[in-house]
Amino acid sequence: MAIRNQSLGEFIIENQSEFQYSSGELSRLINSIRLAAKVVNHEVNKAGLVDILGAAGDTNIQGEDQQKLDVYANEIFIKTLTNREIVCGIASEEEDDFISIKGRNEKNDNKYVVLMDPLDGSSNIDVNVSVGTIFSIYRRVTPSGTPVTIDDFLQPGNLQVAAGYIVYGTSTMIVYSTGHGVNGFTLNPAIGTYYLSHPNMKFPEKGSIYSVNEGNYVHFPLGIKNYIKYCQEEEEDRPYTSRYIGSLVSDFHRNLIKGGIYIYPNTSKDPNGKLRLLYECNPIAYIAKQAGGRSSNGFINILDIKPTELHQRVPFICGNKSMVDKAEEFMQNA
Ligand code: AHG
Ligand code: MN
Ligand code: MN
């Protein structure tokens, strides 16, 4: 049988008609993200070679050290999307406020806003461990032709029209969904083309990996402590295997392929957890749902949460449906 190597470019063109409001705008947007990801990938790959490692000497709005590559990735994604006049607004983990973008002819007549974590897991760069980019796309809710407002960004995750991530790992992959399943494309760095390597990605029926920073155990809520004990019990298909990279994109990507659950709970130190609803949890939750999994804050679906602020944090439990159901049960019974 002849194997057809379908490139991401071909895939986008062939599947354009399944987009709800097909005008080619969403296709062009995904294309821009694909391009920016290639540039960031190039920079991430040579991180060990050039003087780009270490902190940039600045902190972002959440008081965290920004790594040089955080700043670089943020700039590349914003510049690519701005120069191509492809969106009407951008919100980024690395920006204090959202950015309003004028479309062609100085009008804000583009339909989509993008929210992103330009470099996820950035503390892993110095030690040559995988990092990623996460993106989330919504249709604006305010009238076309006017500047975007905060309302365009504070939409619940179940209104996303597309979401995805790039993992800069042993190979670089882009994994995304426009609401018709999840597809993964692997970059051939020699020619700069992504090929469809993981069509129609689904969580395996059963998962056996749990991913959580157990160093924070004493600060976890009782429900999560009890769930971790459950994962470690010798029963049926347990104990599960523990795997934690400390890079959400990489941890989620492995669990999607092998079957598992990712947990970043609220702690006594961080009552809302650490991860950001708009830049990290919603897009990953959208992919998880499209792949047959689910996400919760312990009580309700992540995708149902109505955001109240741009940099909002939420406790995050995400992965195989049956595992998330179980963790939720422990939370609710604690
Ligand atoms: P970012 O690099 O964008 O700030 O995100 C880091 C996040 C996430 O990727 C990861 O899962 C989590 O922080 C790890 O946190 P801990 O080191 O507290 O486990
Ligand atoms: Mn992140
Ligand atoms: Mn980040």
Side-chain angles (χ1 to χ4, degrees), residues 294-314:
R294 64 173 293 246
S295 312
S296 168
N297 67 357
F299 301 93
I300 56 168
N301 277 327
I302 290 292
L303 296 170
D304 290 337
I305 298 172
K306 171 78 181 91
T308 52
E309 49 183 295
L310 271 185
H311 296 284
Q312 187 171 344
R313 296 171 194 262
V314 282

Side-chain angles (χ1 to χ4, degrees), residues 61 90-92 94-100 150 153 279 310-311:
I61 192 172
I90 302 173
S92 162
E94 299 299 336
E95 298 287 328
D96 297 356
D97 210 348
F98 64 82
I99 301 167
S100 185
I150 188 78
F153 298 93
Y279 316 117
L310 271 185
H311 296 284

Side-chain angles (χ1 to χ4, degrees), residues 93 117 120-121 276 280:
E93 181 189 272
D117 177 354
D120 172 67
R276 297 84 169 168
E280 295 171 316

Side-chain angles (χ1 to χ4, degrees), residues 238-307:
R238 288 168 282 141
Y240 296 151
T241 293
S242 163
R243 290 282 184 274
Y244 189 75
I245 297 169
S247 168
L248 170 65
V249 168
S250 317
D251 279 306
F252 174 79
H253 184 70
R254 180 204 52 242
N255 290 354
L256 169 58
I257 291 172
K258 295 197 163 180
I261 185 169
Y262 177 92
I263 303 175
Y264 208 109
N266 50 306
T267 65
S268 40
K269 284 188 299 183
D270 298 307
N272 297 315
K274 175 184 184 186
L275 301 182
R276 297 84 169 168
L277 175 60
L278 296 177
Y279 316 117
E280 295 171 316
C281 305
N282 270 339
I284 295 292
Y286 182 84
I287 298 284
K289 184 178 176 192
Q290 286 291 325
R294 64 173 293 246
S295 312
S296 168
N297 67 357
F299 301 93
I300 56 168
N301 277 327
I302 290 292
L303 296 170
D304 290 337
I305 298 172
K306 171 78 181 91

Side-chain angles (χ1 to χ4, degrees), residues 3-306:
I3 297 172
R4 185 166 163 247
N5 292 326
Q6 191 177 26
S7 73
L8 174 55
E10 289 164 353
F11 181 90
I12 290 173
I13 292 166
E14 280 178 28
N15 291 278
Q16 184 170 311
S17 59
E18 70 184 22
F19 299 149
Q20 207 179 346
Y21 309 95
S22 184
S23 63
E25 204 172 314
L26 187 57
S27 302
R28 288 200 299 279
L29 174 47
I30 307 254
N31 246 321
S32 303
I33 291 173
R34 160 182 83 148
L35 176 70
K38 251 187 255 182
V39 179
V40 172
N41 175 64
H42 184 70
E43 215 56 31
V44 167
N45 279 175
K46 58 182 196 193
L49 294 172
V50 290
D51 181 29
I52 200 160
L53 293 173
D58 216 345
T59 50
N60 65 14
I61 192 172
Q62 292 142 84
E64 297 155 338
D65 284 344
Q66 280 183 317
Q67 302 291 313
K68 279 185 184 168
L69 272 171
D70 276 332
V71 178
Y72 179 82
N74 188 46
E75 274 173 21
I76 292 293
F77 277 96
I78 290 177
K79 266 192 205 147
T80 309
L81 296 171
T82 310
N83 291 347
R84 294 183 151 207
E85 300 179 331
I86 210 100
V87 289
C88 52
I90 302 173
S92 162
E93 181 189 272
E94 299 299 336
E95 298 287 328
D96 297 356
D97 210 348
F98 64 82
I99 301 167
S100 185
I101 296 168
K102 292 196 174 80
R104 287 173 219 288
N105 315 320
E106 299 286 293
K107 285 191 301 191
N108 285 284
D109 56 2
N110 288 322
K111 286 199 277 290
Y112 300 104
V113 294
V114 171
L115 297 91
M116 61 176 180
D117 177 354
L119 207 68
D120 172 67
S122 53
S123 64
N124 281 323
I125 289 169
D126 288 1
V127 290
N128 210 346
V129 171
S130 302
V131 291
T133 295
I134 312 174
F135 61 92
S136 163
I137 302 173
Y138 293 87
R139 272 176 80 83
R140 67 180 301 174
V141 292
T142 53
S144 176
T146 62
V148 287
T149 76
I150 188 78
D151 293 338
D152 295 309
F153 298 93
L154 299 184
Q155 301 190 51
N158 54 33
L159 292 179
Q160 288 171 101
V161 293
Y165 60 82
I166 296 112
V167 54
Y168 310 100
T170 39
S171 53
T172 291
M173 279 188 71
I174 178 163
V175 174
Y176 79 101
S177 174
T178 54
H180 302 269
V182 180
N183 291 287
F185 301 81
T186 302
L187 179 66
N188 177 344
I191 52 174
T193 303
Y194 298 89
Y195 289 101
L196 179 59
S197 51
H198 295 63
N200 196 19
M201 296 174 85
K202 293 278 176 215
F203 279 96
E205 192 65 35
K206 291 190 112 185
S208 60
I209 297 172
Y210 73 103
S211 310
V212 60
N213 185 345
E214 275 184 82
N216 295 327
Y217 186 88
V218 289
H219 301 293
F220 286 166
L222 183 62
I224 295 299
K225 284 182 176 164
N226 290 342
Y227 179 69
I228 290 174
K229 271 191 230 134
Y230 166 89
C231 291
Q232 297 171 342
E233 270 166 17
E234 190 141 30
E235 286 284 342
E236 298 163 8
D237 56 344
R238 288 168 282 141
Y240 296 151
T241 293
S242 163
R243 290 282 184 274
Y244 189 75
I245 297 169
S247 168
L248 170 65
V249 168
S250 317
D251 279 306
F252 174 79
H253 184 70
R254 180 204 52 242
N255 290 354
L256 169 58
I257 291 172
K258 295 197 163 180
I261 185 169
Y262 177 92
I263 303 175
Y264 208 109
N266 50 306
T267 65
S268 40
K269 284 188 299 183
D270 298 307
N272 297 315
K274 175 184 184 186
L275 301 182
R276 297 84 169 168
L277 175 60
L278 296 177
Y279 316 117
E280 295 171 316
C281 305
N282 270 339
I284 295 292
Y286 182 84
I287 298 284
K289 184 178 176 192
Q290 286 291 325
R294 64 173 293 246
S295 312
S296 168
N297 67 357
F299 301 93
I300 56 168
N301 277 327
I302 290 292
L303 296 170
D304 290 337
I305 298 172
K306 171 78 181 91

